[in-house]
């Protein structure tokens, strides 16, 4: 691992186009480009409202953003505590394995600790072996007995109007 000076900061309105670019790159990485609907116009009212619905961390090396993490608050009724949901974590290919992802997760863990969160959770594609290995190295447990359930698009309207 390189000895980089990695700075983590919260995104600002001026970073909006950069965030859109990172989301696009993440969708390429995930093979989900056909589902990409994020635009600056759609993101701005959710990222920069008060309070924000979602927060974005940017990882910078030598003043250049090289990775990001999208997260928001959730809650566990079992723990009776707030939690954090990590929606996206992405590091540009040339910077992977150099501590950037670890720095983003560490910063997120510090936020979770400061806000008394009971856990930080996220999903990882079962085919992303390097990602799974990275998360396990950070102390994450990969839960085999939990499955993501999703209702989206027209299925939301269908269920809402049954």
């Amino acid at each position: 691992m390189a000895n980089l000076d990695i700075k983590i900061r919260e995104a600002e309105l001026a970073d909006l186009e950069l965030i859109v670019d990172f989301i696009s790159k993440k969708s390429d990485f995930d093979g989900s480009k056909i589902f990409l609907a994020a635009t600056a116009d759609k993101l701005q009212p959710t990222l920069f409202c008060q309070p924000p619905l979602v927060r974005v961390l940017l990882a910078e090396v030598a003043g250049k953003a090289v990775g990001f993490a999208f997260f928001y608050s959730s809650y566990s009724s079992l723990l009776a505590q707030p939690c954090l949901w990590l929606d996206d974590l992405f590091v540009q290919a040339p910077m992977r394995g150099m501590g950037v992802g670890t720095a983003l997760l560490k910063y997120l863990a510090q936020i979770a600790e400061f806000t008394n969160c009971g856990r930080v959770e996220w999903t990882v594609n079962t085919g992303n072996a390097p990602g799974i290995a990275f998360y396990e190295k950070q102390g994450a447990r990969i839960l085999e007995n939990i499955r993501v359930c999703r209702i989206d698009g027209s299925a939301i309207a269908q269920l809402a109007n049954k």
Side-chain angles (χ1 to χ4, degrees), residues 4-9 15 18 21-22 25 57-68 90-95 100 104:
L4 298 177
D5 184 19
I6 303 166
K7 304 280 188 219
I8 307 297
R9 67 172 178 86
D15 299 311
L18 173 65
D21 184 55
F22 272 133
K25 289 176 180 171
L57 300 177
L58 295 173
E60 296 179 333
V61 174
K64 183 179 183 330
V66 297
F68 82 118
F90 179 78
V91 176
Q92 292 178 337
M95 300 305 293
V100 176
L104 283 163

Side-chain angles (χ1 to χ4, degrees), residues 30-103:
D30 289 341
S32 57
K33 191 76 165 189
I34 62 169
F35 302 110
L36 181 62
T39 65
D41 288 341
K42 287 179 80 172
L43 286 169
Q44 183 175 344
T46 57
L47 294 179
F48 301 105
C49 58
Q50 288 303 319
L53 299 177
V54 64
R55 294 165 62 188
V56 181
L57 300 177
L58 295 173
E60 296 179 333
V61 174
K64 183 179 183 330
V66 297
F68 82 118
F70 246 66
F71 70 99
Y72 54 88
S73 297
S74 62
Y75 191 84
S76 169
S77 58
L78 294 175
L79 298 176
Q81 280 183 276
C83 301
L84 291 180
W85 181 265
L86 175 60
D87 196 56
D88 281 324
L89 177 75
F90 179 78
V91 176
Q92 292 178 337
M95 300 305 293
R96 293 183 193 141
M98 302 183 89
V100 176
T102 301

